[in-house]
């Protein structure tokens, strides 16, 4: 339960096999604006004072790369700058993991590593 909740300027992207959403329940004096999400769950118990533009995203088919590029373009003036280049493909972040040790080094199972942009972080799965 929250009072005077501001939920703004977020990108929440789920995938076909991993859902993600913005959920609000039992909150009062809520401002929900300028968000993008693959799903929203807004319970009847939420008391809104303002609902602005909140876009519904299609489920990404590129692992979220286009959303990352969109976010990066919109945040070029992030204090301290971005700490990593925008990849042209998510393949550069996949490292093979050995199923026997669970450590990098085996070609059997890929794992996707987080991309660190200083104060912002993105994880791709």
């Amino acid at each position: 339960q929250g009072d005077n909740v501001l939920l703004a300027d977020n990108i929440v992207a789920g995938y076909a096999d991993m859902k993600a959403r913005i959920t609000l329940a039992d909150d009062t004096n809520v401002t929900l604006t300028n968000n993008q999400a693959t799903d929203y769950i807004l319970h009847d118990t939420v008391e809104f004072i303002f609902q602005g533009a909140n876009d519904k995203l299609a489920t990404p088919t590129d692992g979220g790369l286009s959303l990352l590029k969109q976010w990066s373009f919109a945040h070029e003036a992030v204090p301290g700058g971005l700490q990593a280049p925008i990849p042209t493909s998510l393949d550069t972040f996949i490292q093979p993991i050995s199923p026997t040790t669970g450590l990098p080094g085996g070609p059997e199972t890929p794992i996707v590593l987080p991309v660190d942009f200083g104060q912002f972080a993105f994880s791709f799965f």
Side-chain angles (χ1 to χ4, degrees):
Q1 294 177 326
D3 186 22
N4 296 313
V5 174
L6 171 62
L7 189 57
D9 304 316
N10 296 287
I11 299 174
V12 179
Y15 301 96
D17 63 343
M18 185 178 69
K19 305 298 182 194
R21 67 196 56 83
I22 291 176
T23 303
L24 290 168
D26 301 322
D27 302 303
T28 57
N29 301 311
V30 174
T31 297
L32 180 68
T33 187
N34 201 31
N35 296 290
Q36 299 175 57
T38 48
D39 194 16
Y40 294 86
I41 298 176
L42 308 175
H43 293 262
D44 292 338
T45 56
V46 176
E47 296 176 19
F48 290 98
I49 56 174
F50 180 76
Q51 284 192 65
N54 294 291
D55 298 328
K56 184 148 185 191
L57 296 174
T59 301
T61 57
D62 64 353
L65 184 59
S66 62
L67 287 172
L68 174 61
K69 287 180 180 180
Q70 172 190 337
W71 182 92
S72 175
F73 181 77
H75 292 83
E76 289 185 270
V78 171
L82 298 179
Q83 304 299 312
I86 299 298
T88 56
S89 166
L90 291 180
D91 294 340
T92 58
F93 295 101
I94 297 176
Q95 289 189 353
I97 300 297
S98 168
T100 53
T101 66
L103 300 172
E108 301 89 349
T109 308
I111 188 169
V112 182
L113 302 176
V115 181
D116 183 9
F117 289 95
Q119 63 181 345
F120 303 95
F122 298 84
S123 295
F124 299 95
F125 299 94

